[in-house]
Every structure is written in C-alpha cells, then in structure tokens.
Amino acid sequence: MKRVLGFLLTFVLFIFPFQFVRAEELKLAENAKSAILIEASTGKVLFEKNADEKLVPASMTKMMSMLLIMENIEAGVLKWDQMITVSEHASSMGGSQILLETGEKMSVKDLFKGVAIASGNDAVVALGEAIAGSEAGFVDMMNKKAKELNLKNTNFKTPHGLDAANHYSSARDMSIIARELVKHEKVLEFTSVYEDYLRENTDKKIWLVNTNKLVRFYDGVDGLKTGYTKDAGYCLTGTAKKDGMRIIAVVMGEPDSKTRNKEVSEMLDYSFAQYKIDTLLKKESSVGKYEVNKAKEKYIEVVPKSDVTVLRKKSEKSGNASYEVKLNDLKAPIKKGDVVGKLRIKENGKYIRTIELTTKNDINKANIGQLYLRYLTDIVTGDISI
C-alpha cells in the first residue's frame, strides 16, 4: 500500500449535538465559591461557576504532584519498589500526614499510597525530593508543567497545598490537571481505595482512610482528591466512570465536608442522567496501514493515543460527527508513543478536537541489505517498474 501525504479518512456517525449549560440555568454547586463539571475524554464543560477565579486549592494541589510523580515513574526516574530515605524536612510537615520519621525508609509505592489515600504532606514532600532533589526544585517542576498545560490561573508554592502566600489555582485549572492525571490509570488503583495500612506487621502500623468519602458512598467514584485549609475552605475534585463515560467535578470554597460531598454528588448525578459518550474509535484501534521510509517493516499501523469520542446530550436530536487522519512524513526509526500525525474530529461541520496519532509498535530503521532485498522484491511484484 502506498501512503499518500495528506490522505483523508472520514467516518460518519450520527450523534446528538452538544449544548453548554450555564451556571444560572442549573442549581448545582450553590454553596461553592467556584465549580466546574467536565467530561474527561473530550474535555467538554457541562457546567461552570466562577471557574476561573483564583482561589486556594489546599490539598488538591497534590493532583499536580501525583501527575509529576507518575510521569517520573513511567520514565524510569523512580520505581515502585524503590526505597526512599525520609529527610528531616519531609518528616517535619504538618497537617495531614502518615507520620514519617527522619531517616525512615519507605517504598515509592507506599509513599504514593500515603499521598493518594491519606493526603500525606510528608509523603508528597519525600517523593518530590526524590525526583527533584529538593521541595523547591519539585515546585519549579510543578509550575513548569502548569505552563505546559496552559493553566491560566495557577501558581504553586508547595507540593502539598498548605496555605502559602501566592499559592493559588482555579476550578478550571484543577479540572485540566485532573484530566491529565486520570490518563495515568494506575493512579486510580490508589485513589479508589477507601482504607488500607502502612507498616503492617510492625509496632508503627498506621491505618489509612481515604479523605474522599465518595469512593465508598457513590457508585463509580474512583478518585480523585480532597482539600481543606482555613483559607481554602472545603474542596474536592471527584471523578466517576459509568457506561464508558468519565466525569470530573471540581468544587472550591465549600462551607463544610458534608455540603462538599453532596454538591459533587449532585454534579455527577446530573452528568450521568443527561449525557453519554459515543466512541468513534478506541485507543490504539488502527486507522490504517502506511508505508514508512527506510523502515525494517515496510508498513506500520497508525493508532490514536486516546479514545476518539464525542459527547452527546441524551435528549436532543441527532447530528453528525466525523474524523480526519493527517499524517506527518513518516521516517524510521519511530517509537511507539511518538506523534506521527493528528486525528481531527468534526462535529456538525466544525472541528472540535484534535487527537495525536502514534504507531502500534516500535519501527526500526532498515539496514542496507534489507532495503536492497525490498527493492528487488518490489521489482518482482511490480511495485517498482524499471
């Protein structure tokens, strides 16, 4: 098969058109200072209230910390079974903690468990120091990542979220961080746990209870992060998945934990009652085979890096959606995960989202002998005329 640059591939699917609902049209998050409700795969905003107001995020800050930790684990900088020696600085953190002691050794997995379940300030600082060498260095990484994510109203001063001057974020920015975080599905194995233990079979055993009570009391909730300080009030980024659709709800500045949980539950109820997801393509579903210049394998399968989805409202008439595939000039070597093109989704005649494309497998560069043998084969099969 010969690859043609600019090749256009379009599939049509009947769906319902999406309409954004303004805050004044819904009685959601009435007690929150700010809030936002999004569908994770598309990023569509279903509801918002003062979503760009700069507020104190408290321990929801740890979502950015967990995102960086996950990226460093996946990059091999840290390993789950690696033992971390706790510094005096990390062990001195106040607020919620897992009672780490100076000089204590704990695995990355157990420290991450302490962050994800019990919101341990000491645990997140220990992990941050292991990655960046210091808490300050890790905070610099957090702010760099915030710029990469194009967060408009966020500035971090700590990795844990205890009140600090000039430490702020917004509900919208928190939802963007959460959306990135849930792409690392391993995180949800921790944030969905209601209770667990650290240091089992020792006299320093500690019981961890999830600060997010919705993981126990709301069907489908598997994360993500609570927060509370005097300045922030009660905050929560909750996420739940049902029928293939993941919803992320953020509230900030709630008056108490009961109201916080109630209003996030109502936001989730609304989402699952009103919307559903149509999946055009699953993650890593082939969108075709294409020829690669100077590759050991002549053809490669191109796949999306995430599910190709469209959000629709259940009550509205059908419209149509399609996608187009546009590839870069493909040259070996290519590693799985490398961006080789874009898939653009069009809904009702308008482009609404772009998804990166990669290859199904690593593509190695061919040597001279392999290229010569392919040349002779192409002559025999008629792919090349002489």
Side-chain angles (χ1 to χ4, degrees), residues 59 62 86 88-102 104 106 111 113-115 117-125 160 162 198-199 206-209 211:
S59 278
K62 293 186 180 79
V86 178
E88 182 178 359
H89 177 63
S91 66
S92 71
M93 293 297 108
S96 57
Q97 53 186 296
I98 59 171
L99 305 177
L100 293 174
E101 297 180 357
T102 302
E104 178 179 2
M106 187 172 283
L111 287 169
K113 188 188 296 184
V115 177
I117 300 173
S119 195
N121 297 327
D122 47 0
V124 78
V125 171
H160 43 68
L162 290 172
L198 291 178
R199 307 184 191 91
I206 184 172
W207 182 36
L208 305 179
V209 179
T211 56

Side-chain angles (χ1 to χ4, degrees), residues 278-281 304 306-310 323 343 345 353 355:
D278 278 320
T279 301
L280 280 69
L281 283 172
S306 61
D307 288 351
V308 181
T309 57
V310 180
Y323 64 80
L343 183 149
I345 302 174
R353 192 158 57 99
I355 294 175

